[in-house]
Amino acid sequence: MTKKLITDIELAQAGHANGISTHLAAKGPSGRLTEAEKQAIIENAAAAYANFLEALGCDWKNDPNSEDTPRRVAKAYVNDLWAGRFQPLSEITAFPADGYDGIVQESNIPVTSMCSHHHQTIGGRVNIAYVPSKDGKVVGLSKLNRIVEHFARRGAIQEQLTVAIHNAVDKICEGNKGIAVMLDATHNCVSCRGVKHHGASMQTAKLSGCFVNEEATRAEFYKNIELAGRHRS
Ligand SMILES: [Zn+2]
């Protein structure tokens, strides 16, 4: 089974916080950044963050806790928080469904993201399901986790993140009968700033095909989320 590079799955414009970086976009559809190029991005971002701290009256150079902070923050953005903006989604292998046309679901996929508006973290769980056709395609389960990481590790708008995950799964699982994605998350920009309400959570869902047209399939999706909840904690 050959691996396939999935392209044309980015919903947001390159350069936007929820899109890929302008550096990666300049490389073309299947281009990658070299380690040296990533390092240069980290260096530039660290210098800019040092200015940001100075603007806030932080004498970071003389504070033992802050002297490496510009670099730490820059590295965290490039390697973790916004990692999905600096590399294309890796190749994904889809396998023949071989006659299976039931629901395939992964629930409770942890998601860590960051809101595009305030750069505060978003944390929660994603639930993904699809129904392959008998002669369609299925993917290795961990690939669903990888798709979540690719789109969540960047600036995000939860509604748009839900659709981006949905569309990528739809594209990879060729010949599917329907896709369901439900995201349940808390936003630190709501709990730590502004209204400062702790514990409020946001649910978004994008359903298509049989999950829209068949009440029983949709009910099975939400029932599976409940069942999977038993494995948590
Ligand atoms: Zn926000």
Side-chain angles (χ1 to χ4, degrees), residues 143-154:
K143 304 303 181 295
L144 299 178
N145 303 61
R146 245 199 287 138
I147 291 166
V148 170
E149 284 289 299
H150 178 68
F151 289 107
R153 293 292 181 166
R154 53 175 83 181

Side-chain angles (χ1 to χ4, degrees), residues 2 6 16 25 42 51 86 104 111 119 149 153-155 161 176 180:
T2 51
I6 310 294
H16 287 193
I42 290 171
N51 287 337
F86 296 104
V104 180
V111 62
H119 287 203
E149 284 289 299
R153 293 292 181 166
R154 53 175 83 181
L161 174 58
N176 72 77

Side-chain angles (χ1 to χ4, degrees), residues 32-91:
R32 288 181 172 273
L33 295 169
T34 64
E35 272 316 303
E37 286 167 332
K38 272 193 181 178
Q39 208 50 46
I41 294 168
I42 290 171
E43 297 305 329
N44 284 336
Y49 199 76
N51 287 337
F52 178 82
L53 290 178
E54 278 158 27
L56 293 173
C58 178
D59 183 15
W60 60 275
K61 284 180 193 156
N62 293 309
D63 172 359
N65 292 308
S66 301
E67 61 186 347
D68 286 328
T69 295
R71 265 192 72 75
R72 279 192 202 104
V73 173
K75 279 171 76 177
Y77 267 79
V78 174
N79 297 334
D80 297 305
L81 299 169
W82 278 17
R85 307 181 76 246
F86 296 104
Q87 57 208 15
L89 185 62
S90 49
E91 295 177 332

Side-chain angles (χ1 to χ4, degrees), residues 115 117-118 187 189 193:
C115 97
H117 298 140
H118 304 99
H187 292 234
C189 66
R193 53 155 295 286

Side-chain angles (χ1 to χ4, degrees), residues 50-195:
N51 287 337
F52 178 82
L53 290 178
E54 278 158 27
L56 293 173
C58 178
D59 183 15
W60 60 275
K61 284 180 193 156
N62 293 309
D63 172 359
N65 292 308
S66 301
E67 61 186 347
D68 286 328
T69 295
R71 265 192 72 75
R72 279 192 202 104
V73 173
K75 279 171 76 177
Y77 267 79
V78 174
N79 297 334
D80 297 305
L81 299 169
W82 278 17
R85 307 181 76 246
F86 296 104
Q87 57 208 15
L89 185 62
S90 49
E91 295 177 332
I92 285 182
T93 310
F95 301 94
D98 283 340
Y100 182 81
D101 61 354
I103 198 166
V104 180
Q105 181 160 345
E106 187 176 18
S107 303
N108 293 332
I109 302 169
V111 62
T112 303
S113 189
M114 176 192 278
C115 97
S116 288
H117 298 140
H118 304 99
H119 287 203
Q120 297 287 303
T121 51
I122 297 170
R125 303 272 167 171
V126 189
N127 307 280
I128 303 175
Y130 64 94
V131 175
S133 51
K134 285 180 181 166
D135 54 359
K137 293 280 170 61
V138 295
V139 290
L141 207 52
S142 67
K143 304 303 181 295
L144 299 178
N145 303 61
R146 245 199 287 138
I147 291 166
V148 170
E149 284 289 299
H150 178 68
F151 289 107
R153 293 292 181 166
R154 53 175 83 181
I157 304 299
Q158 185 173 326
E159 296 89 328
Q160 188 266 352
L161 174 58
T162 310
V163 177
I165 294 169
H166 169 281
N167 290 3
V169 177
D170 185 32
K171 187 148 193 175
I172 291 160
C173 300
E174 289 168 40
N176 72 77
K177 294 180 178 172
I179 308 286
V181 176
M182 200 280 264
L183 213 166
D184 176 21
T186 57
H187 292 234
N188 273 340
C189 66
V190 174
S191 52
C192 300
R193 53 155 295 286
V195 71

